[in-house]
């Protein structure tokens, strides 16, 4: 067959968007020697057609003649005075190439006759005098992902061969019975098992009892199943806590705090909690909603784009794998990064620049979420330099599921079917790797732990799975996430036992060992249990929409996990030992309340500059650049969008969706997170997170009595008692807060060891970070309220008490002050305030409502004003304050919890005041037509006076990239 | 009266099919979603159908170029069926990715005559937004022709866009002139007062602010904005500021006109 090579590039005069994006990334790496970049798409086609047909392929299929040229053959560097480097990026042999698959089918559609193979590549011409070292950096950091791609430099070098070596069976035993302590530790390290000595000893004694050695696949299965990522051993451990000198113990931390709140509240609308892939709550008579938030931190640190894309792709499969499978209806995303304007030389070796991480993460979530057709409706961004080497990427998904499909019922005799993507070497050891700390060498050693996503594969699978579910063609479903098949089959068969023939698993390419097949975290795969009599029907359904599905084994009933390869047994594990055999941990924790002095700040007359500085701080600044890249309206259910106001650019408190076309019932989503508070008081940090998440939901019109929470703990190394102590305090607050607000936790996840060891041994640990995600019901979406001011002449109220609580506040942050008192939550008045505001909104008494949080009262007023395009005349004499909060700056910028800013029409004043009876509330001003924010102090002097356009510009400018 | 039959075409990566089906049903049509594989197996599924809608999404992952692979499939497997469908007086609507498909089959802009599938000599195409990013925002649209059956020529509408490849470019100035003179410009991006402008009024840098095109029959419409995402009041981005009214969203204009046209002509 002939080898045809096609090169497609833009005609001059048409912007090379991809080339320019590469150029800007190169500059972000600090490389200045590249003057310009031109990108070319390369197609290599092995086929029988002649030149005339090849020209037709070039014109009709591969290029767009309106703005592209397509050349046959291989072109060299362009002539000209500027030195040019030619770099081609090819996929490594065997890596799936979806574009090539599409082109292959399209060629057949065109009538190309026999086509051997199609491969694609990207080619870059870099203009400029670039050094060998710069060229290497560009290839590694910008152009190619070493895990799946290969770079060839120059116009003559040969592209990699498309052929891979087949695998020859070699069953490997790993002798463990006679190892001493050092030997066990060495074995764990050598195989990247991330099992500690105690766990290795537990396994050792198990195999001594069995009187044999484990095979590699058995040990790997145990390592996956017992990884921190999968089993949460730290949070479930027995804890001895020293709390300011007082001893407290927990038999199982999680069960006695977060879980216990859910049990004690015992709400009948919680349908499935902490047991399935996502928590499930009632929506209406016929439907339920499920919600899950996961983190994908370590992969995103190495490969921001791929890590974030597979993060969202992975969490979408959680609702898809909950009960009998939910339909995903919304995504949420919360990210924590280092400062995006950090000087490149401050970034340690082995770490990507925060701006690059942020751009990659946003692009990854954008491309995967948008392609899946799931609106990304809610999120948040936090910046702190301690996230520099350990960025946090929280991805969440909400699904809608019929009430009668909330539970699985797999039985012995059902077939195990793997659906969706093929299995490759990507993502090997993801679960174990993400359970450990990172070092500067991780980007080299663990490139294989990064998964590769293909949203269209997942979308096709989703479409057919939902149909199969409704036709009742399968009995149980779960996702292949961390740990791959080992976790999916291991969990699904935990009670039954399972046998799997590993050579039956469809592979992306030849050469995988049975162990690699078993633990690969290749994406877009689900495992289902199918009755033998339904097999033909379900395979036909998948086939009709080009979705691959393969029987790989069956559930047995013998409580054993049996693994075979080509008929030979390669592993056998007792399900009970696998799931219950892990040793119990005891951990020490300590918390000593710091002596926290109030910083000394001089008095002054005008705080306009302070307000502008807070609005321009990265945490508060507008996130519009991110939000607009997400499709937040697909599926047509959007009611309250992330951006609100007269010009659609104000910051909404929460998102609301109407998921069913025939019902006005809605779902509201929000989050709360205050890592700035945790350094001073992790207990109050967690309470504040709960109060904030609830506040946000209430502000848009969610029903107070129907709010459920998720917890995501991201912490440093909890083997340090001081670090673990902050987690224990937060967990205690989760219990107290959930009980007080009546908000059960329905699911959660933790990610520990978010620390980085620099080349010089310096250690960077993230701040204690608890994300509280909240989901609420809205009885009638037509009653929802947004935060933008609506009409001049309306009255403005503050509900809730302003106290001297500025510890960790943005006022202190922008001035570089530590110390101070962290906002507390009044566990009686806080929930009562939320309940009354929710009722007032439900009764139509409120025109706009905004949560008073980061940046305090002044910031919230500014946001309401510029979002509504209206002004405010406010007077601090109307502000309900605690006795110790008399200074104007504290009143303006305190971040006390449980406070709401509310706009009420003059005709509703009395009804509203009656509703708020006995709560701390006061009128602080009114809405004006003049576009100025003016706030006066007790002496009627303006302490803030600014045009709202100036405030808005300060707020929009920092992240307007 | 029997309901007007409509088909919403599905394919791998298409993701706006359900809300598009819903919008058609709100307009009184009987809509069903059909996978391209079924239509290729049996083009007769189009018989009796009066409205074919290609909805938004990322068909085949936008491999090669947005809409390209699905367009290629349609041209090579469904050419005759499609040409006949249009010639018989039926309606075709392409939204976002569906518009990209229609332009890549050569059905739009259709300056060579109705129903032509012109792969070899395309007059216009859709390419990357000028800002290089996917963009979700609301835009005002001014009709640019009075002979497209989907629109009210004097009614300016407000709809969301959500795309990364929505910039219309033409082969040359002559092609643009033909599009203008032939009345092929269905919609232009304008500001709230109806004037064209730069970003964000024209969100992607389209030539002559073009947001949608119609063919020479006026019975084929392709547009980048999403009419199916504004069929009820609470989808408006600041509906909480607007006076209470029962009026449906602007997007319904397109679906209602389509159904009415069929009812009037068949």
């Amino acid at each position: 067959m002939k080898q045809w090579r096609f090169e497609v590039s833009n005609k001059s005069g048409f912007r090379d968007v991809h080339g320019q994006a590469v150029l800007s990334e190169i500059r972000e790496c600090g490389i200045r020697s590249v003057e310009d970049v031109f990108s070319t798409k390369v197609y290599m086609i092995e086929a029988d057609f002649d030149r005339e047909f090849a020209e037709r392929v070039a014109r009709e299929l591969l290029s767009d003649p309106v703005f592209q040229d397509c050349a046959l053959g291989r072109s060299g560097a362009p002539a000209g005075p500027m030195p040019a480097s030619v770099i081609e990026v090819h996929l490594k042999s065997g890596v799936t190439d979806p574009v090539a698959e599409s082109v292959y089918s399209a060629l057949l559609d065109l009538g190309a006759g026999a086509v051997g193979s199609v491969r694609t590549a990207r080619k870059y011409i870099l203009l400029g005098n670039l050094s060998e070292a710069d060229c290497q950096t560009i290839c590694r950091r910008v152009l190619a992902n070493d895990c799946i791609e290969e770079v060839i430099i120059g116009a003559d070098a040969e592209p990699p061969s498309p052929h891979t070596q087949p695998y020859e069976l070699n069953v490997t035993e790993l002798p463990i019975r006679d190892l001493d302590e050092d030997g066990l530790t060495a074995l764990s390290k050598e195989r990247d098992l991330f099992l500690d000595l105690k766990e290795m000893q537990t396994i050792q004694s198990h195999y001594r009892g069995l009187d044999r050695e484990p095979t590699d696949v058995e040990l790997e299965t145990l390592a996956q199943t017992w990884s921190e990522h999968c089993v949460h051993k730290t949070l479930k451990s027995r804890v001895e806590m020293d709390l300011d000198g007082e001893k407290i113990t927990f038999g199982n931390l999680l069960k006695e705090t977060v879980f216990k709140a859910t049990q004690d509240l015992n709400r009948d609308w919680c349908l499935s909690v902490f047991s399935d892939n996502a928590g499930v709550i009632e929506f209406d008579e016929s439907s339920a909603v499920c919600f899950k938030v996961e983190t994908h931190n370590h992969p995103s640190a190495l490969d921001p784009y791929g890590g974030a894309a597979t993060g969202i792709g992975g969490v979408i499969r959680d609702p898809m794998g909950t009960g009998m499978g939910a339909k995903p209806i919304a995504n949420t995303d919360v990210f924590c990064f280092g400062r995006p304007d950090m000087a490149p030389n401050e970034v340690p070796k082995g770490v990507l620049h925060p701006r690059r991480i942020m751009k990659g993460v946003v692009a990854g979530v954008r491309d995967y979420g948008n392609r899946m057709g799931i609106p990304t409706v809610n999120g948040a961004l936090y910046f702190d330099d301690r996230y520099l080497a350990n960025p946090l990427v929280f991805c969440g998904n909400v699904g809608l599921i019929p009430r009668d499909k909330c539970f699985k019922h797999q039985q012995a005799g059902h077939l195990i079917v793997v659906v969706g993507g093929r299995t490759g070497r990507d993502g090997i050891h993801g679960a174990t790797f993400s359970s450990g700390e990172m070092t500067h060498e991780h980007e080299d050693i663990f490139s294989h732990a990064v998964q590769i996503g293909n949203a269209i594969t997942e979308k096709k699978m989703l479409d057919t799975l939902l149909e199969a579910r409704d036709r009742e063609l399968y009995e149980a479903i779960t996702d292949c996430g961390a740990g791959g098949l080992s976790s999916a089959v291991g969990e699904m068969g935990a009670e039954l036992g399972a046998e799997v023939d590993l050579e039956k698993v469809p592979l992306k390419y030849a050469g995988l060992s049975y162990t690699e097949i078993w633990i690969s975290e290749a994406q877009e795969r689900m495992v289902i249990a199918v009755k033998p009599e339904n097999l033909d029907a379900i395979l036909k359904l998948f086939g009709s929409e080009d979705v691959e599905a393969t029987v790989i084994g069956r559930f047995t009933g013998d409580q054993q996990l049996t693994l075979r390869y080509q008929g030979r047994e390669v592993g056998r594990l007792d399900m009970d030992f696998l799931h219950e055999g892990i040793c119990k941990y005891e951990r020490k924790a300590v918390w000593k309340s710091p002596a926290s002095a109030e910083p000394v700040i001089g008095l002054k007359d005008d705080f306009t500059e302070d307000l502008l500085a807070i609005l321009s701080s990265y945490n508060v600044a507008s996130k519009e650049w991110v939000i607009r890249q997400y499709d937040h309206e697909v599926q047509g259910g959007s009611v309250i969008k992330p951006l609100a106001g007269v010009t659609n650019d104000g910051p909404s408190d929460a998102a609301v969706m109407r998921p069913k076309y025939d019902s006005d019932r809605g779902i509201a989503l929000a989050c709360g997170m205050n890592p700035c508070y945790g350094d001073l008081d992790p207990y109050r940090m967690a309470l504040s997170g709960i109060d904030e998440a609830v506040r946000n939901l209430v502000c848009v019109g969610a029903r107070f009595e129907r709010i459920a929470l998720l917890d995501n703990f991201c912490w440093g190394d909890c083997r340090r008692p001081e670090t673990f102590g902050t987690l224990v305090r937060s967990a205690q607050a989760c219990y107290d807060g959930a009980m007080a607000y009546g908000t059960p936790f329905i699911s959660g996840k933790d990610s520990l060891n978010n620390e980085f060891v620099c080349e010089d041994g310096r250690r960077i640990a993230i701040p204690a970070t608890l994300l509280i995600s909240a989901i609420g019901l809205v009885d009638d979406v037509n009653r929802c309220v947004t935060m933008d001011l609506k009409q001049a002449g309306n009255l403005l109220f503050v509900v809730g008490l302003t106290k001297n609580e500025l510890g960790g506040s943005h006022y202190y942050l922008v001035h570089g002050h530590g110390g101070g008192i962290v906002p507390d939550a009044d566990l009686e008045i806080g929930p009562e305030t939320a309940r009354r505001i929710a009722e007032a909104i439900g009764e139509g008494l409120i025109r706009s409502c905004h949560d008073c949080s980061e940046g305090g009262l002044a910031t919230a007023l500014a946001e309401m004003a510029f979002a509504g395009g209206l002004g405010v005349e406010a007077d601090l004499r109307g502000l309900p304050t605690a006795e110790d909060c008399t200074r104007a700056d504290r009143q303006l910028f305190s971040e006390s919890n449980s406070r709401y800013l509310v706009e009420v029409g003059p005709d509703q004043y009395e009804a509203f005041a009656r509703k708020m009876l006995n709560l701390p509330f006061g009128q602080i001003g009114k809405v004006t037509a003049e576009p100025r924010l003016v706030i006066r102090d007790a002496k009627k002097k303006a302490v803030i006076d600014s045009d709202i356009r100036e405030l808005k510009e300060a707020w929009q400018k920092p992240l307007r990239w | 009266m029997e309901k007007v039959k409509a088909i919403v075409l599905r394919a791998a990566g298409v993701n706006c099919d359900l809300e598009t089906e819903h919008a058609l049903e709100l307009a009184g049509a009987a809509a069903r979603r059909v996978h391209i594989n079924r239509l290729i197996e049996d083009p007769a599924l189009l018989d009796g159908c009066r409205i074919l809608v290609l909805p938004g999404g990322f068909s085949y992952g936008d491999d090669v170029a947005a809409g390209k692979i699905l367009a290629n499939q349609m041209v090579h497997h469904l050419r005759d069926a499609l040409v006949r469908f249009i010639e018989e007086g039926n309606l075709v609507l392409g939204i976002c990715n569906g518009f990209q498909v229609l332009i890549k089959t050569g059905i739009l802009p259709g300056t060579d005559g109705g129903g032509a599938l012109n792969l070899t000599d395309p007059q216009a195409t859709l390419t990357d937004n000028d800002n290089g990013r996917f963009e979700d925002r609301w835009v005002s649209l001014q009709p640019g022709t009075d002979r497209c059956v989907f629109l009210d020529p004097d009614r300016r509408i407000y709809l969301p866009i959500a795309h990364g490849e929505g910039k219309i470019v033409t082969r040359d100035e002559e092609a643009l002139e033909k599009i203008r003179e032939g009345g092929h410009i269905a919609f232009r991006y304008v500001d709230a007062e109806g004037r064209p402008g730069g970003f964000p009024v024209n969100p992607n840098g389209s030539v002559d602010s073009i947001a949608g095109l119609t063919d020479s029959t006026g019975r084929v419409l392709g547009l980048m904005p999403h009419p199916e995402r504004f069929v009820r009041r609470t989808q408006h981005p600041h509906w909480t500021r607007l006076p209470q009214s029962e009026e449906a969203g602007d997007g319904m204009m397109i679906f209602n006109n389509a159904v009415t046209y069929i009812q009037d002509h068949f």
Side-chain angles (χ1 to χ4, degrees), chain A residues 151-166:
Chain A
V151 171
I152 62 173
I153 296 173
D156 305 319
E158 277 301 308
S161 153
H163 305 291
T164 45
Q165 292 298 318

Side-chain angles (χ1 to χ4, degrees), chain B residues 99-118:
Chain B
F99 179 26
Q100 291 162 338
V101 172
L102 289 178
I103 210 163
K104 275 155 194 173
T105 57
I107 294 176
L108 288 176
T111 39
D112 315 322
L117 273 68
N118 183 350

Side-chain angles (χ1 to χ4, degrees), chain A residues 64 102 109 635-636 786 788, chain B residues 19 63 77 125 235 238 240-241:
Chain A
D64 191 325
S102 290
D109 291 340
Q635 299 191 7
T786 49
D788 46 307
Chain B
E19 55 268 44
D63 292 345
H77 293 288
T125 195
Q235 290 168 324
H238 47 265
T240 57
R241 309 182 66 79

Side-chain angles (χ1 to χ4, degrees), chain A residues 154-174:
Chain A
D156 305 319
E158 277 301 308
S161 153
H163 305 291
T164 45
Q165 292 298 318
Y167 170 71
E168 276 178 38
L169 180 60
N170 175 20
V171 182
T172 311
E173 279 189 354
L174 296 174

Side-chain angles (χ1 to χ4, degrees), chain A residues 198-267:
Chain A
K198 196 170 165 189
E199 289 153 356
M200 289 299 285
Q201 285 170 330
T202 306
I203 295 169
Q204 184 179 47
S205 80
H206 179 74
Y207 278 93
R208 281 179 180 158
L210 291 178
D211 201 21
R212 67 174 177 93
E213 299 291 358
T215 63
D216 53 351
V217 74
E218 290 171 345
L219 214 45
E220 289 280 4
T221 305
L222 287 163
Q224 303 298 322
T225 312
W226 291 7
S227 68
E228 185 67 75
H229 187 102
C230 293
V231 80
H232 310 292
K233 48 201 175 193
T234 301
L235 265 75
K236 290 178 181 169
S237 61
R238 188 185 144 73
V239 183
E240 270 189 28
M241 170 87 167
D242 175 339
L243 172 57
D244 282 327
E246 188 196 343
K247 298 271 180 239
I248 341 174
T249 55
F250 297 89
N252 176 326
L253 178 64
L254 207 54
K255 271 196 181 151
E256 290 163 39
T257 55
V258 178
F259 288 180
K260 185 170 188 310
T262 307
Q263 277 174 343
D264 291 355
L265 287 167
N266 193 23
R267 295 287 191 258

Side-chain angles (χ1 to χ4, degrees), chain A residues 254 258-259 262 272-276 278-279 709 711 745-748:
Chain A
L254 207 54
V258 178
F259 288 180
T262 307
S272 167
V273 292
F274 291 105
S275 54
D276 209 330
L709 305 179
D711 66 85
F745 284 93
I746 56 168
S747 184

Side-chain angles (χ1 to χ4, degrees), chain A residues 41 60-61 64 102 109 371 544-545 628 631-633 635-636 639 641 648 661 664 786 788-789, chain B residues 10 19 37-38 61 63-64 68 72 76-77 120 125 136 138 158 229 232 235 238-241:
Chain A
K41 289 185 197 171
E60 291 185 21
L61 180 63
D64 191 325
S102 290
D109 291 340
R371 274 155 202 264
S544 76
E545 298 197 4
R628 292 219 180 278
D631 189 339
H632 45 264
E633 296 173 282
Q635 299 191 7
V639 173
K641 304 181 204 295
N648 308 333
Y661 297 133
D664 276 338
T786 49
D788 46 307
L789 292 180
Chain B
R10 291 174 55 225
E19 55 268 44
N37 289 357
R38 304 291 83 69
D63 292 345
V64 183
K68 184 74 190 180
N72 191 66
H76 294 290
H77 293 288
T120 49
T125 195
D136 178 332
W138 283 65
Y158 191 50
R229 295 189 187 181
R232 70 192 311 274
Q235 290 168 324
H238 47 265
W239 65 272
T240 57
R241 309 182 66 79

